[in-house]
Amino acid sequence: MTCKAEGVAAAVRAAAAVVAEHRVELIDLDRAIGDGDHGENLNRGFAAVVAALDAGAPDTPGGVLKLVATTLISKVGGAAGPLYGTAFLRASAKLGTAGDLDVPALLEALRAGLEGVQARGKAVAGDATMVDALIPAVSAAEKAAGDGGDVAAVLTAAADAADRGAESTVDLVPRKGRASYLGERAVGHLDPGARSSALLLRAFAEAAR
Amino acid sequence: MSVGIVLVSHSAKLAEGLAELAAQMAPDVTIVPAGGLADGSIGTDYDEVVAATQRADRGDGVVLLYDLGSAQMTAELAVESLADPSAAVVADGPLVEGAIAAAVAAQSGQDRKAVAEAAAAAGIPDDLQPVEPAAGEAELELELRNDVGLHARPAAVLVRTLSGFDAEVTVRLGDQEADGRSVLALMSLGARQGDRIFLRARGPQAAAALEKAKELVDGNFGE
């Protein structure tokens, strides 16, 4: 099974709806350990993405992701903008101008997105960041693909692993971003970036079904 | 012509005020503030940073300085997206002192690398500068008393601190020795609480580097 530009655009719209729905939750998570703007920023960014898609959606999966990247980079203030922007930009570069998104391309895009986030934010596993959701997500996606899963199965496996990875940040001492200033005091709090990463992957997985 | 400077801050007022201050020391340098979001609120605006970088480049390239983490990411992303990414460099230094130091370096006609280094070096207090620039060699034994030993964060703090000195430092634990510039190498020593590490430094600022390292270790890396 493959997915075309319309499918990717639909998944991005679904992600925007999920971000809007969880805006307050993300704000509350970030307020506990950061500056409280993650939900607002991300929602503003994805609302702009939807507006950009309404104005004219690109005709390849890579083109759609590039539009998402450039819009998020410009519209999301705070760390999430350059981080998610880089992830979508690197993923889109991997997809190139292909008209279909198949499982091998999806894996490459997921890996490139993770590498982009790590290169930009310089976080490693255990720092209590979105990387803690994305690393297990990419491994789970690889495993699901190896087991013969289609695009929906691969994304579902990624979303399941991202959920567990995000939950694991509750027990971690943050070592990046504003939460790192709190040190031990931030233990017991779910990282808002890890949570939003898991939400996005879940939205993509649901849309692919 | 001189290297241009871009000040990336979450706050428009901070960036503008600092540009004004730095311009006092460097009347011929193009210093462009890129602070806050378009609506005046707190944040970093990628498009503005890109535009500021293009505006600051008078042919000799640009050095960007930032205030906090996401400003650094925005600045790096902006540099990466330039037609010629080598035309600009993000300097890792304190924003205010770094901007002044960079502006003065640019005013005196120094190149991108020197201007960025001036910004980074502005983080070292004067009393840690070497009294005389002669090449030196120094050794020091220290006991780690912090909880996690030379784990990721303390190792990173140590590397960052040592990188500010003109000295080559190695750290030894038992028969293993690691480069003081590499976080991973330091972590791989596996030095734990209670371990005694042996630092050796060579270079003009060898003694100052070890003195600062001792402060860090004695202060449990600020943990």
Side-chain angles (χ1 to χ4, degrees):
Chain A
M1 192 188 99
T2 62
C3 176
K4 295 187 183 299
E6 300 80 63
V8 176
V12 170
R13 287 174 186 277
V18 167
V19 167
E21 194 185 320
H22 290 266
R23 178 180 147 268
V24 174
E25 180 199 337
L26 292 172
I27 288 172
D28 289 344
L29 287 175
D30 195 25
R31 195 167 278 153
I33 56 170
D35 49 9
D37 64 0
H38 189 57
E40 196 62 57
N41 286 348
L42 214 51
N43 189 42
R44 181 176 57 229
F46 272 95
V49 167
V50 170
L53 287 174
D54 286 343
D59 56 6
T60 60
V64 173
L65 294 191
K66 187 168 184 193
L67 181 69
V68 173
T70 52
T71 309
L72 291 182
I73 287 167
S74 294
K75 298 294 177 191
V76 181
L83 287 170
Y84 280 129
T86 302
F88 282 106
L89 203 57
R90 302 261 173 113
S92 110
K94 279 286 172 203
L95 299 184
T97 55
D100 289 319
L101 177 67
D102 57 13
V103 168
L106 172 62
L107 281 185
E108 284 215 45
L110 287 171
R111 283 192 207 110
L114 168 62
E115 282 164 17
V117 168
Q118 289 190 291
R120 183 69 60 222
K122 298 171 184 76
V124 296
D127 283 349
T129 69
M130 53 176 74
V131 166
D132 288 304
L134 294 174
I135 287 177
V138 173
S139 324
E142 283 168 348
K143 185 174 181 305
D147 293 343
D150 59 8
V151 166
V154 167
L155 283 171
T156 301
D160 290 346
D163 278 339
R164 291 191 296 272
E167 282 301 326
S168 78
T169 64
V170 171
D171 302 322
L172 295 171
V173 180
R175 285 190 291 238
K176 288 282 167 188
R178 239 159 278 191
S180 66
Y181 299 133
L182 290 174
E184 297 282 346
R185 280 172 290 159
V187 172
H189 293 283
L190 183 66
D191 177 67
R195 174 65 176 146
S196 65
S197 293
L199 285 171
L200 293 179
L201 283 169
R202 180 65 64 198
F204 295 153
E206 297 285 332
R209 282 167 70 174
Chain B
M1 226 134 42
S2 60
V3 171
I5 294 173
V6 172
L7 306 172
V8 185
S9 169
H10 283 63
S11 155
K13 286 181 187 167
L14 182 54
E16 282 160 18
L18 182 55
E20 189 185 9
L21 180 63
Q24 297 288 311
M25 332 271 177
D28 304 321
V29 178
T30 306
I31 304 171
V32 184
L37 297 177
D39 64 1
S41 61
I42 295 288
T44 50
D45 183 333
Y46 167 81
D47 293 326
E48 196 193 332
V49 175
V50 170
T53 306
Q54 287 162 345
R55 210 155 63 237
D57 194 352
R58 297 298 167 92
D60 285 339
V62 179
V63 170
L64 295 87
L65 287 103
Y66 61 88
D67 57 2
L68 293 167
S70 57
Q72 179 186 12
M73 286 190 244
T74 304
E76 287 176 355
L77 186 57
V79 169
E80 205 176 294
S81 68
L82 293 176
D84 174 16
S86 70
V89 56
V90 180
D92 196 6
L95 180 61
V96 176
E97 294 90 335
I100 306 296
V104 171
Q107 177 74 28
S108 64
Q110 301 198 45
D111 66 11
R112 275 194 297 283
K113 184 165 179 287
V115 170
E117 282 170 357
I124 309 170
D126 284 343
D127 57 358
L128 292 174
Q129 300 287 356
V131 179
E132 52 191 65
E137 204 170 326
E139 292 175 347
L140 183 65
E141 190 176 0
L142 294 169
E143 183 182 344
L144 294 172
R145 287 187 297 267
N146 63 318
D147 288 344
V148 295
L150 267 190
H151 193 51
R153 194 158 32 164
V157 170
L158 185 58
V159 167
R160 227 168 24 236
T161 304
L162 292 175
S163 70
F165 291 89
D166 186 5
E168 283 175 31
V169 183
T170 58
V171 179
R172 183 166 62 79
L173 174 73
D175 53 5
Q176 265 194 301
E177 194 160 46
D179 188 338
R181 284 169 300 194
S182 162
V183 177
L184 287 176
L186 289 178
M187 285 173 67
S188 70
L189 288 175
R192 293 169 187 282
Q193 190 179 34
D195 282 347
R196 299 188 74 84
I197 54 173
F198 197 79
L199 277 70
R200 191 196 310 259
R202 293 171 65 93
Q205 292 185 286
L210 291 194
E211 192 181 321
K212 188 70 190 174
K214 179 171 170 19
E215 261 176 50
L216 275 183
V217 171
D218 288 348
N220 289 335
F221 300 92
E223 280 171 20

